[in-house]
Amino acid sequence: MGGERILVTGGNSGIGLALCKQLATEHDCHVYLGSRSMESGSKALESIFSYAPQCNGKIELVNIDVMSDASVTEAANSLRTALGSEVLYAVVNNAGTGLAHGVAPEVILDTNLYGVKRVCEAFLPLLHPVEGRIVNVGSGAGPMWLNKQSEETKGIINDANVTWQQIDGVVKAEFSRGAGVNAYGVSKSCVSAYTALLARTNPNLKCSSISPGFIDTAIVRGFGAKKSPEEGTVSIRHCLFARLEGNGWYYGSDAVRSPLDVLRNPGEPPYTGK
């Protein structure tokens, strides 16, 4: 392995920034660091190059706001030009918001779920048609939310044949109950369901969703997280480079397959699909 071209959204801070560093220094990848703010993205590049000067030329900044159709389309067109005859090996949908960020529920959904869908649809044509991979960053908040829902809702999210209309319906039903406070858990649960849909409709690609664990980033600042962003990339890197036995699966922070409706803690037996 080596030389793979990988896009990481939300690469300017937290887990995304840590991942970009690791991909360039430890995996010899060519990384496209996605950032909504060019200023923040440039500062992130400077921090990486000061830490690892050898990465200069191996990491490029891509301006992308996952909440904007126009921005995502422009970023895809720009990257298509930059790639030339090359192809993307993977897309990591890491950009996310919620909890300690104090943003509106609609912003959480638009970033964490609909933003992932925008990016996947725009960048699918740039991925290697056989070896390409997509990793969508979810959260343990997804299973925690789903575990408290009705059997009907659990059935929809766990259905390998789930449709986008059903996923969108779960979101709308939740918000119709005035349950905007659960937007983060809803978004992370539904992004795993969307990953299963993505895998089914793109069977030649490897599509995974993951939980990074309880990591000390801005999203959970003040909630007591102790692990560093570097520790939050274990399952992402597993889904990028390991030989995966399934497609559309959800992995815990220890890179072990996990259920969507029950929180599986690191070290516990893997989910078997039953």
Side-chain angles (χ1 to χ4, degrees):
M1 302 291 283
E4 291 89 352
R5 294 175 180 268
I6 300 176
L7 169 69
V8 180
T9 67
N12 57 287
S13 64
I15 294 170
L17 178 57
L19 178 65
C20 288
K21 291 179 184 177
Q22 292 169 338
L23 291 178
T25 59
E26 300 175 27
H27 297 276
D28 193 30
C29 294
H30 191 99
V31 182
Y32 298 99
L33 186 158
S35 177
R36 180 176 59 180
S37 162
M38 289 296 283
E39 181 181 0
S40 296
S42 297
K43 289 180 178 179
L45 284 183
E46 291 175 9
S47 72
I48 294 174
F49 297 155
S50 64
Y51 160 79
Q54 71 273 23
C55 289
N56 200 332
K58 294 176 65 176
I59 304 180
E60 298 181 48
L61 179 60
V62 175
N63 188 204
I64 181 170
D65 178 356
V66 303
M67 290 178 61
S68 164
D69 289 339
S71 176
V72 172
T73 298
E74 185 176 347
N77 290 337
S78 175
L79 192 52
R80 181 181 288 106
T81 300
L83 284 168
S85 61
E86 300 289 338
V87 292
L88 271 183
Y89 168 71
V91 171
V92 179
N93 280 297
N94 167 74
T97 190
L99 301 178
H101 280 166
V103 297
E106 292 78 10
V107 173
I108 295 173
L109 264 296
D110 204 15
T111 303
N112 297 356
L113 176 60
Y114 300 108
V116 169
K117 185 173 183 285
R118 284 189 193 95
V119 172
C120 287
E121 291 178 348
F123 285 87
L124 272 171
L126 306 186
L127 281 168
H128 192 290
V130 177
E131 298 177 3
R133 299 195 178 198
I134 295 174
V135 183
N136 297 326
V137 176
S139 168
M144 290 173 68
W145 172 81
L146 186 58
N147 182 253
K148 299 176 182 179
Q149 304 311 305
S150 68
E151 291 304 313
E152 179 184 5
T153 299
K154 290 179 182 178
I156 291 172
I157 298 299
N158 277 306
D159 188 354
N161 294 310
V162 67
T163 66
W164 173 251
Q165 289 72 24
Q166 288 176 309
I167 295 170
D168 191 47
V170 167
V171 174
K172 287 181 169 57
E174 180 70 7
F175 273 71
S176 71
R177 292 190 287 268
V181 292
N182 294 319
Y184 188 75
V186 175
S187 70
K188 294 303 186 178
S189 181
C190 286
V191 85
S192 290
Y194 173 67
T195 303
L197 167 61
L198 201 61
R200 189 180 76 246
T201 53
N202 298 273
N204 291 329
L205 303 178
K206 286 293 187 183
C207 305
S208 311
S209 62
I210 66 94
S211 170
F214 195 33
I215 307 300
D216 184 18
T217 66
I219 286 183
V220 295
R221 191 94 355 112
F223 282 70
K226 303 295 185 184
K227 292 187 175 182
S228 69
E230 287 73 19
E231 295 176 276
T233 68
V234 173
S235 50
I236 299 176
R237 290 193 284 164
H238 173 82
C239 291
L240 284 175
F241 302 116
R243 182 180 179 276
L244 302 179
E245 296 180 352
N247 202 3
W249 289 3
Y250 168 67
Y251 293 82
S253 61
D254 55 355
V256 175
R257 188 186 181 190
S258 300
L260 297 183
D261 55 354
V262 178
L263 184 63
R264 183 196 147 273
N265 295 309
E268 292 181 352
Y271 175 59
T272 62
K274 299 180 181 179

